Amino acid sequence: MTDQVWPWPAGAATGIGSLPGTDIAEAQRIVLGELPALPHLPELPGRGPGADLIGRTAGLLVELPVELYAGRWRIAPRPGRDVRRARDLMERDLDQLAEQAEEYVGPVKVQVGGPLTLAASLELPIGGRMLRDPGAVRDLTNSLAEGLRGHVAAVARRLPRASVLLQLDEPSLPTVLAGRVPTESGLGAYRAVDPSVAASLLRTVVEAAGVPTLVHCCAPDVPLELIRSTGAAGVALDLDLVTELDPLGEAIDAGLGLLAGAASGTASPAGRAPTSAQVADRVRQLWDRLGFPRRQLAEQVVVTPACGLAHASGQYARAVLAACRDAGRRLAED
């Protein structure tokens, strides 16, 4: 795979998405300063409803309005203040990205929830998750696909010299496939989604985006072969949750890029962030166990935190991003 062209520079590092705090201007400055090779659009769930993963993504849906009801997002009969807030927050974030990165040349990453996680989280007007209704899940996926076409185009217009990467966050994917998403009563679970159906739904979104797309899942049992079959360019996962090396090695050998979550999203008991040497060693050790040549590592792998950093302190989050950046540079020098 050494002749494959990757949508990121060798030795790149990036964030998964979320950061602590509520100041988007400061968050964007941190990202652009600490992650110059592959910056991303920060997510600040601390701002409240509409800045969370589900609300933020639901604001992108086309002709499928949502609302908050009893603290949960559900499909609504018409657009209201909740979806307007989500869209307004996204517009502010994109405007801030454009202002600070106007002259940026290179890849930039944006993140949204994937169709399976949305289906497991959004509720139908009559009650129950959208996951209970296969037809509703298909409608949701098509709405998301159309919304993402517009979202990617909006980012590209604001940053005409950059190339856009899309990250689909799918934390619920393994539980959806295993039939472990609980019903509202807690006494049962929704029927498992067939892997071929899940792959088709993801593929619909990946193809609609029209840009290199990554699938992020910081949960155990990430379905690597399913993700690879969707046409995704890469997978982002927590290295501490990798228990079986063979599926990961097969996916990498088949050409899937790896966003290696090698630094904890929360501080150690001592409160210190890992050093860049520790992060780089974590990635090298896994790569060596997989048996791939070192020269391939810096090209196919992007160094990241294990997951989002919304629950970390601001100081820790910044230190982790810097450690990932410098770890990527160390790997490029190997």
Side-chain angles (χ1 to χ4, degrees):
M1 305 307 300
T2 55
D3 58 347
Q4 185 166 342
V5 178
W6 301 98
W8 50 72
T14 193
I16 291 300
S18 67
L19 290 175
T22 59
D23 186 342
I24 186 60
E26 176 62 15
Q28 193 65 76
R29 279 193 291 272
I30 290 172
V31 167
L32 290 168
E34 304 297 348
L35 302 169
L38 182 51
H40 63 90
L41 180 66
E43 301 166 359
L44 302 179
R47 293 179 293 182
D52 59 298
L53 172 63
I54 301 304
R56 186 176 175 85
T57 305
L60 300 173
L61 297 175
V62 175
E63 297 183 357
L64 200 61
V66 297
E67 64 183 2
L68 270 175
Y69 178 76
R72 298 187 295 271
W73 289 99
R74 71 175 183 182
I75 302 303
R78 64 188 63 85
R81 63 180 182 181
D82 296 324
V83 74
R84 286 196 296 271
R85 171 178 165 81
R87 290 171 178 169
D88 182 59
L89 286 170
M90 181 68 81
E91 281 296 310
R92 293 185 205 172
D93 293 356
L94 293 180
D95 288 345
Q96 190 59 230
L97 175 65
E99 180 179 331
Q100 294 196 36
E102 181 180 8
E103 301 300 321
Y104 175 75
V105 178
V108 62
K109 181 169 69 71
V110 296
Q111 309 83 215
V112 299
L116 282 309
T117 292
L118 281 186
S121 304
L122 285 172
E123 296 190 355
L124 294 162
I126 59 173
R129 310 292 174 87
M130 295 191 78
L131 199 58
R132 69 185 291 183
D133 183 343
V137 175
R138 287 193 297 272
D139 291 343
L140 171 67
T141 300
N142 291 331
S143 174
L144 178 62
E146 186 173 349
L148 287 181
R149 274 193 288 263
H151 183 53
V152 168
V155 177
R157 283 195 302 272
R158 285 171 166 86
L159 300 178
R161 304 173 67 187
S163 56
V164 181
L165 273 66
L166 175 67
Q167 176 181 304
L168 296 175
D169 288 318
E170 283 285 12
S172 300
L173 180 57
T175 55
V176 166
L177 295 174
R180 297 199 302 265
V181 177
T183 58
E184 283 58 43
S185 69
L187 301 177
Y190 291 103
R191 181 179 302 175
V193 173
D194 185 271
S196 64
V197 173
S200 176
L201 295 170
L202 275 168
R203 190 179 303 113
T204 295
V205 176
V206 169
E207 291 176 353
V211 295
T213 301
L214 318 164
V215 177
H216 166 237
C217 183
C218 53
D221 305 319
V222 178
L224 292 165
E225 176 55 30
L226 184 156
I227 290 171
R228 190 184 68 81
S229 73
T230 67
V235 62
L237 45 77
D238 180 346
L239 296 190
D240 284 343
L241 298 180
V242 176
T243 57
E244 298 290 336
L245 291 183
D246 286 348
L248 180 58
E250 290 168 3
I252 290 172
D253 191 50
L256 195 67
L258 174 63
L259 275 72
S264 175
T266 54
S268 67
R272 291 190 297 269
T275 66
S276 61
Q278 290 170 330
V279 176
D281 284 344
R282 180 76 182 85
V283 177
R284 285 193 198 98
Q285 288 167 8
L286 175 74
W287 196 256
D288 290 345
R289 289 174 65 197
L290 291 170
F292 294 111
R294 284 278 184 92
R295 66 180 181 278
Q296 187 179 336
L297 192 166
E299 296 180 353
Q300 194 163 355
V301 176
V302 175
V303 183
T304 75
C307 205
L309 296 168
H311 300 296
S313 69
Q315 181 180 8
Y316 180 83
R318 189 165 195 160
V320 163
L321 295 182
C324 289
R325 176 200 65 216
D326 292 341
R329 290 172 178 172
R330 284 173 178 266
L331 296 173
E333 293 169 357
D334 282 354

